[in-house]
Amino acid sequence: MDIMSVKEASERWNISERWIQKLCEEGQIEGVQRFSWSWMIPKEAQKPADLRKNRKGSFLYTLNRSRD
C-alpha cells in the first residue's frame, strides 16, 4: 500500500494541513493510521465531504460545487 503525508494530501486535496490532521483525528479518512507523531494516509484515499454547517444551519457547499 502506498502512503502519503499530511502535506501531500493537503496539496492534492487543496485544503490546509491542519484540516487534514483534524480529519485524521476524527477518523474521516478511510485507512488512515497514526505512526508516532505523523499520519499515514493511503494514496488511494478519497477526500472526505465537507459536512460543516453555516450559521443559518444549512450545510456549506462542497469545494467541488459551483456557486451560482
Side-chain angles (χ1 to χ4, degrees):
M1 170 174 66
D2 290 334
I3 60 169
M4 61 181 159
S5 67
V6 169
K7 183 174 182 166
E8 289 175 284
S10 172
E11 292 168 356
R12 180 181 283 184
W13 295 339
N14 197 29
I15 53 180
S16 73
E17 290 182 37
R18 180 62 191 123
W19 193 251
I20 298 283
Q21 293 169 345
K22 182 88 171 136
L23 292 169
C24 290
E25 290 168 6
E26 294 175 354
Q28 298 294 318
I29 302 174
E30 189 156 339
V32 70
Q33 294 183 356
R34 184 137 192 158
F35 181 74
S36 185
W37 292 98
S38 345
W39 290 100
M40 298 185 302
I41 304 167
K43 285 204 178 211
E44 62 273 359
Q46 298 295 312
K47 177 182 175 182
D50 188 352
L51 300 177
R52 297 175 291 171
K53 292 183 179 183
N54 66 13
R55 291 184 183 155
K56 295 179 183 176
S58 62
F59 288 104
L60 292 174
Y61 288 94
T62 61
L63 296 175
N64 296 333
R65 187 173 177 182
S66 65
R67 297 178 186 176
D68 298 319

